[in-house]
mmCIF file of all heavy atoms in Angstrom:
data_model
loop_
_atom_site.group_PDB
_atom_site.id
_atom_site.type_symbol
_atom_site.label_atom_id
_atom_site.label_comp_id
_atom_site.label_asym_id
_atom_site.label_seq_id
_atom_site.Cartn_x
_atom_site.Cartn_y
_atom_site.Cartn_z
ATOM 1 N N GLU A 404 63.897 56.224 55.154
ATOM 2 C CA GLU A 404 64.311 55.962 53.801
ATOM 3 C C GLU A 404 63.200 56.411 52.776
ATOM 4 O O GLU A 404 63.554 56.905 51.728
ATOM 5 C CB GLU A 404 64.743 54.585 53.460
ATOM 6 C CG GLU A 404 66.170 54.099 54.190
ATOM 7 C CD GLU A 404 65.850 53.851 55.675
ATOM 8 O OE1 GLU A 404 64.747 53.671 56.050
ATOM 9 O OE2 GLU A 404 66.879 53.898 56.439
ATOM 10 N N ALA A 405 61.985 56.218 53.223
ATOM 11 C CA ALA A 405 60.886 56.468 52.181
ATOM 12 C C ALA A 405 60.656 58.004 52.114
ATOM 13 O O ALA A 405 60.178 58.466 51.078
ATOM 14 C CB ALA A 405 59.562 55.975 52.954
ATOM 15 N N THR A 406 60.996 58.733 53.026
ATOM 16 C CA THR A 406 60.950 60.307 52.929
ATOM 17 C C THR A 406 62.136 60.920 52.339
ATOM 18 O O THR A 406 62.093 62.059 51.998
ATOM 19 C CB THR A 406 60.494 60.866 54.188
ATOM 20 O OG1 THR A 406 61.551 60.536 55.221
ATOM 21 C CG2 THR A 406 59.149 60.489 54.729
ATOM 22 N N SER A 407 63.228 60.156 52.371
ATOM 23 C CA SER A 407 64.470 60.881 51.978
ATOM 24 C C SER A 407 65.221 60.184 50.573
ATOM 25 O O SER A 407 66.200 60.600 50.259
ATOM 26 C CB SER A 407 65.643 60.794 53.179
ATOM 27 O OG SER A 407 65.865 59.386 53.361
ATOM 28 N N ALA A 408 64.520 59.151 50.029
ATOM 29 C CA ALA A 408 65.120 58.480 48.937
ATOM 30 C C ALA A 408 65.375 59.498 47.789
ATOM 31 O O ALA A 408 64.497 60.412 47.566
ATOM 32 C CB ALA A 408 64.046 57.436 48.355
ATOM 33 N N GLN A 409 66.373 59.245 47.072
ATOM 34 C CA GLN A 409 66.778 60.176 45.911
ATOM 35 C C GLN A 409 66.403 59.785 44.628
ATOM 36 O O GLN A 409 66.744 60.516 43.733
ATOM 37 C CB GLN A 409 68.394 60.399 46.077
ATOM 38 C CG GLN A 409 68.852 61.087 47.249
ATOM 39 C CD GLN A 409 68.320 62.549 47.444
ATOM 40 O OE1 GLN A 409 68.231 63.344 46.502
ATOM 41 N NE2 GLN A 409 67.837 62.890 48.629
ATOM 42 N N ALA A 410 65.710 58.680 44.542
ATOM 43 C CA ALA A 410 65.159 58.100 43.198
ATOM 44 C C ALA A 410 63.883 57.425 43.396
ATOM 45 O O ALA A 410 63.743 56.858 44.480
ATOM 46 C CB ALA A 410 66.239 57.256 42.561
ATOM 47 N N VAL A 411 63.167 57.391 42.345
ATOM 48 C CA VAL A 411 61.861 56.692 42.371
ATOM 49 C C VAL A 411 62.059 55.217 41.986
ATOM 50 O O VAL A 411 62.519 54.993 40.974
ATOM 51 C CB VAL A 411 60.811 57.313 41.373
ATOM 52 C CG1 VAL A 411 59.489 56.606 41.440
ATOM 53 C CG2 VAL A 411 60.675 58.842 41.620
ATOM 54 N N PRO A 412 61.729 54.384 42.919
ATOM 55 C CA PRO A 412 61.867 52.869 42.686
ATOM 56 C C PRO A 412 60.854 52.519 41.522
ATOM 57 O O PRO A 412 59.623 52.972 41.675
ATOM 58 C CB PRO A 412 61.601 52.330 43.983
ATOM 59 C CG PRO A 412 60.858 53.166 44.798
ATOM 60 C CD PRO A 412 61.122 54.539 44.346
ATOM 61 N N GLY A 413 61.076 51.651 40.640
ATOM 62 C CA GLY A 413 60.222 51.152 39.789
ATOM 63 C C GLY A 413 58.977 50.387 40.366
ATOM 64 O O GLY A 413 57.853 50.591 39.947
ATOM 65 N N ARG A 414 59.315 49.616 41.244
ATOM 66 C CA ARG A 414 58.296 48.882 42.005
ATOM 67 C C ARG A 414 58.685 48.992 43.522
ATOM 68 O O ARG A 414 59.675 48.721 43.999
ATOM 69 C CB ARG A 414 58.408 47.341 41.601
ATOM 70 C CG ARG A 414 58.170 47.032 40.091
ATOM 71 C CD ARG A 414 58.659 45.719 39.651
ATOM 72 N NE ARG A 414 60.097 45.676 40.030
ATOM 73 C CZ ARG A 414 60.736 44.460 39.799
ATOM 74 N NH1 ARG A 414 60.206 43.342 39.482
ATOM 75 N NH2 ARG A 414 62.187 44.412 40.018
ATOM 76 N N LEU A 415 57.599 49.256 44.255
ATOM 77 C CA LEU A 415 57.678 49.408 45.710
ATOM 78 C C LEU A 415 56.516 48.663 46.385
ATOM 79 O O LEU A 415 55.354 48.627 46.081
ATOM 80 C CB LEU A 415 57.564 50.822 46.063
ATOM 81 C CG LEU A 415 57.439 51.311 47.538
ATOM 82 C CD1 LEU A 415 58.796 50.854 48.218
ATOM 83 C CD2 LEU A 415 57.161 52.750 47.723
ATOM 84 N N VAL A 416 56.947 47.753 47.390
ATOM 85 C CA VAL A 416 56.007 47.132 48.254
ATOM 86 C C VAL A 416 55.952 47.808 49.630
ATOM 87 O O VAL A 416 57.032 48.239 50.193
ATOM 88 C CB VAL A 416 56.395 45.570 48.433
ATOM 89 C CG1 VAL A 416 55.542 45.007 49.712
ATOM 90 C CG2 VAL A 416 56.382 44.862 47.241
ATOM 91 N N VAL A 417 54.777 48.307 49.982
ATOM 92 C CA VAL A 417 54.541 48.841 51.216
ATOM 93 C C VAL A 417 53.832 47.924 52.167
ATOM 94 O O VAL A 417 52.705 47.451 51.816
ATOM 95 C CB VAL A 417 53.676 50.051 51.095
ATOM 96 C CG1 VAL A 417 53.382 50.800 52.442
ATOM 97 C CG2 VAL A 417 54.235 51.258 50.111
ATOM 98 N N VAL A 418 54.454 47.705 53.342
ATOM 99 C CA VAL A 418 53.851 46.716 54.348
ATOM 100 C C VAL A 418 53.239 47.548 55.465
ATOM 101 O O VAL A 418 54.167 48.195 56.208
ATOM 102 C CB VAL A 418 54.941 45.717 54.849
ATOM 103 C CG1 VAL A 418 54.245 44.674 55.809
ATOM 104 C CG2 VAL A 418 55.476 45.002 53.617
ATOM 105 N N GLY A 419 51.934 47.592 55.646
ATOM 106 C CA GLY A 419 51.323 48.409 56.649
ATOM 107 C C GLY A 419 50.393 49.317 56.027
ATOM 108 O O GLY A 419 50.568 50.033 55.114
ATOM 109 N N GLY A 420 49.304 49.411 56.729
ATOM 110 C CA GLY A 420 48.104 50.277 56.368
ATOM 111 C C GLY A 420 47.790 51.455 57.258
ATOM 112 O O GLY A 420 46.748 51.978 57.078
ATOM 113 N N GLY A 421 48.790 51.858 57.957
ATOM 114 C CA GLY A 421 48.582 53.095 58.880
ATOM 115 C C GLY A 421 49.019 54.293 58.128
ATOM 116 O O GLY A 421 49.202 54.357 56.905
ATOM 117 N N VAL A 422 49.178 55.402 58.895
ATOM 118 C CA VAL A 422 49.459 56.699 58.259
ATOM 119 C C VAL A 422 50.597 56.646 57.251
ATOM 120 O O VAL A 422 50.549 57.072 56.184
ATOM 121 C CB VAL A 422 49.532 57.868 59.341
ATOM 122 C CG1 VAL A 422 49.824 59.122 58.608
ATOM 123 C CG2 VAL A 422 48.165 57.909 60.063
ATOM 124 N N VAL A 423 51.769 56.235 57.894
ATOM 125 C CA VAL A 423 52.953 56.251 56.977
ATOM 126 C C VAL A 423 52.822 55.437 55.739
ATOM 127 O O VAL A 423 53.138 55.708 54.748
ATOM 128 C CB VAL A 423 54.188 55.749 57.887
ATOM 129 C CG1 VAL A 423 55.424 55.565 56.940
ATOM 130 C CG2 VAL A 423 54.491 56.667 59.023
ATOM 131 N N GLY A 424 52.238 54.228 55.975
ATOM 132 C CA GLY A 424 52.057 53.399 54.657
ATOM 133 C C GLY A 424 51.168 54.012 53.739
ATOM 134 O O GLY A 424 51.624 54.064 52.492
ATOM 135 N N VAL A 425 50.103 54.563 54.016
ATOM 136 C CA VAL A 425 49.186 55.071 53.046
ATOM 137 C C VAL A 425 49.822 56.307 52.424
ATOM 138 O O VAL A 425 49.521 56.560 51.202
ATOM 139 C CB VAL A 425 47.647 55.233 53.476
ATOM 140 C CG1 VAL A 425 47.038 53.917 53.949
ATOM 141 C CG2 VAL A 425 47.701 56.274 54.681
ATOM 142 N N GLU A 426 50.347 57.161 53.203
ATOM 143 C CA GLU A 426 50.818 58.384 52.673
ATOM 144 C C GLU A 426 52.056 58.028 51.709
ATOM 145 O O GLU A 426 52.068 58.714 50.593
ATOM 146 C CB GLU A 426 51.311 59.388 53.802
ATOM 147 C CG GLU A 426 50.185 60.055 54.592
ATOM 148 C CD GLU A 426 50.699 61.138 55.535
ATOM 149 O OE1 GLU A 426 51.920 61.219 55.665
ATOM 150 O OE2 GLU A 426 49.839 61.958 55.836
#
Side-chain angles (χ1 to χ4, degrees):
E404 290 78 18
T406 56
S407 63
Q409 294 297 315
V411 180
R414 301 162 298 175
L415 174 66
V416 171
V417 176
V418 183
V422 176
V423 172
V425 297
E426 286 192 345

